[in-house]
Amino acid sequence: MSTSSHSTPQPSITSPDASRELQTTERVAAFNVLAEAIALLSQKAGSPVTGSAVRLEMGRRTYGGFDPKRVGYKRFRDFLDEAEQQGYVEIDHDRPGDVGLSIPGASPEVGSTSRMRSDLWKAFSDWNPRTSRYYDLNEDRVVTLPTEPAPLEPTRYAELRTRISDSPSGFVEIKPVSRQQQLAWMMDFALRVTDPEVSRILSEALKSDHPARYFVVVLRNFPNLLNRWHNTLRERVYAEALRWRDSNARLAGIQVDHVDSPNHPQSSRLRDEAASPSGRRAVESPQRQVHDLDVVQFFANQMPGNVTQPRSPLRQRLHEAIERMPESELRKITIPVGYLFEE
């Protein structure tokens, strides 16, 4: 009797050593992608770049494949710390909010204002007309309160009003950069953008009912320009703070830059405040990213020679489907950027 032998497929088992070797190889590749992303963004922006911008660029360069957990890290920040120890990157640990990244040995940004105190930053950049701001010379810090008193307001506001009234020499008022001035800065920035189509879209956004909001919404679709705007805004607010300090002899010893002192707490939200003059920033979501593109297209359609056409049923269905799709599926969609500006 003959017996036929059958070879039974054996499961593929990856040894722990092989798994570690693969992870090490991918980790080195990730460090190299990190360095390339920083170099590219730094060259375009002309200044140190932020961690969030670099992570976005790494996602683009790896077609969405980069994930800190894949190479053994729980968080992107842990990945950056290891990359710094390995000499791939330098991290600006003193920068408030989102960390600044640069290639080791690269020249630091001349005149960098990323170390501006967060209390002064907010006092000068937030144009809310219902808020009054003073520098308390005795406590060496900014204090704020509603401009108009209200019945049953918190005790701390009433006490502060009394202190300012009784000892006016101990306080110096801070006039924030006005909404009109910041919008003028935005328009100046828009006109200096070298891409004529993007420049025109930004200019149209600034003519809307909510110019500051839509200006930032449009910029979110162009990370390099958004980073440049952040730098421009910081530089100009910093200059205003210096002028304020130099205009009053009582402020001669005031530190405008961040100093390591409990009296000068640093806000981890500074980067977000720079992104929006209102100081508020919504949570990123795939739907908002899609809506941001709608805003860009809307203002592109406002340009001379463009006529807004109603959506066809097919386009409407596609638009609704995109809004329901998870981010993982959105990443698979390929849309030539030229369609954003098609005449």
Side-chain angles (χ1 to χ4, degrees):
M1 184 172 71
S2 63
T3 59
S4 59
S5 61
H6 299 279
S7 63
T8 303
Q10 297 296 318
S12 176
I13 300 177
T14 303
S15 68
D17 289 342
S19 179
R20 283 193 293 270
E21 182 178 352
L22 175 62
Q23 188 178 72
T24 299
T25 301
E26 291 187 341
R27 182 176 298 178
V28 172
F31 287 150
N32 288 326
V33 172
L34 171 68
E36 293 170 0
I38 295 173
L40 175 65
L41 294 178
S42 297
Q43 183 179 13
K44 292 181 178 180
S47 62
V49 294
T50 63
S52 58
V54 170
R55 182 168 186 173
L56 185 62
E57 179 62 24
M58 291 183 70
R60 290 197 191 94
R61 298 177 79 85
T62 60
Y63 305 109
F66 171 72
D67 184 345
K69 295 180 180 179
R70 176 175 175 175
V71 290
Y73 302 96
K74 292 183 179 179
R75 305 178 306 157
F76 183 61
R77 181 57 187 270
D78 298 331
F79 169 74
L80 291 179
D81 288 340
E82 177 68 19
E84 183 179 44
Q85 294 179 16
Q86 297 293 330
Y88 287 90
V89 61
E90 285 185 355
I91 302 177
D92 181 359
H93 296 278
D94 295 323
R95 186 183 188 280
D98 199 355
V99 296
L101 304 176
S102 58
I103 300 298
S107 301
E109 181 182 3
V110 177
S112 173
T113 61
S114 61
R115 290 177 57 86
M116 183 176 178
R117 284 172 47 179
S118 61
D119 59 343
L120 284 173
W121 162 263
K122 185 170 179 60
F124 279 94
S125 66
D126 184 357
W127 62 54
N128 185 349
R130 295 177 296 178
T131 300
S132 294
R133 309 148 182 85
Y134 295 89
Y135 199 88
D136 188 332
L137 296 172
N138 294 320
E139 297 187 5
D140 193 25
R141 67 186 181 93
V142 174
V143 293
T144 61
L145 73 164
T147 301
E148 297 295 332
L152 305 177
E153 69 179 3
T155 304
R156 66 179 183 277
Y157 292 147
E159 292 176 346
L160 182 54
R161 294 183 201 282
T162 300
R163 288 180 55 206
I164 295 173
S165 177
D166 292 346
S167 305
S169 61
F171 296 86
V172 177
E173 187 174 7
I174 297 174
K175 294 292 186 182
V177 182
S178 68
R179 178 178 185 271
Q180 182 179 4
Q181 181 62 64
Q182 293 195 43
L183 290 177
W185 290 349
M186 294 176 192
M187 181 58 75
D188 178 69
F189 180 87
L191 296 176
R192 292 175 182 272
V193 172
T194 55
D195 187 313
E197 298 298 329
V198 178
S199 176
R200 287 161 57 190
I201 290 175
L202 287 170
S203 298
E204 290 296 329
L206 289 169
K207 299 175 185 177
S208 68
D209 293 338
H210 303 284
R213 179 192 306 173
Y214 288 126
F215 175 82
V216 175
V217 167
V218 172
L219 281 180
R220 279 201 296 256
N221 293 276
F222 307 95
N224 294 331
L225 284 180
L226 181 60
N227 188 60
R228 280 175 50 195
W229 165 244
H230 291 159
N231 291 336
T232 299
L233 181 61
R234 283 198 302 269
E235 290 171 1
R236 296 195 173 187
V237 171
Y238 184 78
E240 291 295 322
L242 291 179
R243 277 193 283 271
W244 165 81
R245 184 193 63 183
D246 297 341
S247 68
N248 192 317
R250 291 185 294 163
L251 300 172
I254 298 301
Q255 290 284 342
V256 174
D257 294 342
H258 162 61
V259 293
D260 297 322
S261 166
N263 292 332
H264 302 148
Q266 289 298 299
S267 168
S268 62
R269 297 187 301 273
L270 179 57
R271 188 69 166 86
D272 292 343
E273 291 167 357
S276 172
S278 66
R280 298 185 299 272
R281 186 171 182 174
V283 177
E284 293 286 351
S285 68
Q287 284 192 356
R288 199 191 72 171
Q289 293 169 1
V290 172
H291 294 162
D292 285 359
L293 291 175
D294 287 343
V295 171
V296 173
Q297 185 64 64
F298 174 81
F299 288 117
N301 288 335
Q302 306 310 303
M303 297 176 189
N306 285 343
V307 179
T308 303
Q309 299 291 338
R311 279 200 186 108
S312 68
L314 176 59
R315 291 180 184 278
Q316 181 64 32
R317 291 179 62 188
L318 285 172
H319 181 78
E320 293 171 353
I322 287 174
E323 288 191 340
R324 296 194 301 269
M325 292 170 64
E327 185 173 357
S328 58
E329 293 296 326
L330 287 173
R331 292 180 181 276
K332 300 177 183 178
I333 298 177
T334 301
I335 302 177
V337 72
Y339 282 113
L340 296 177
F341 315 112
E342 189 176 30
E343 303 247 330

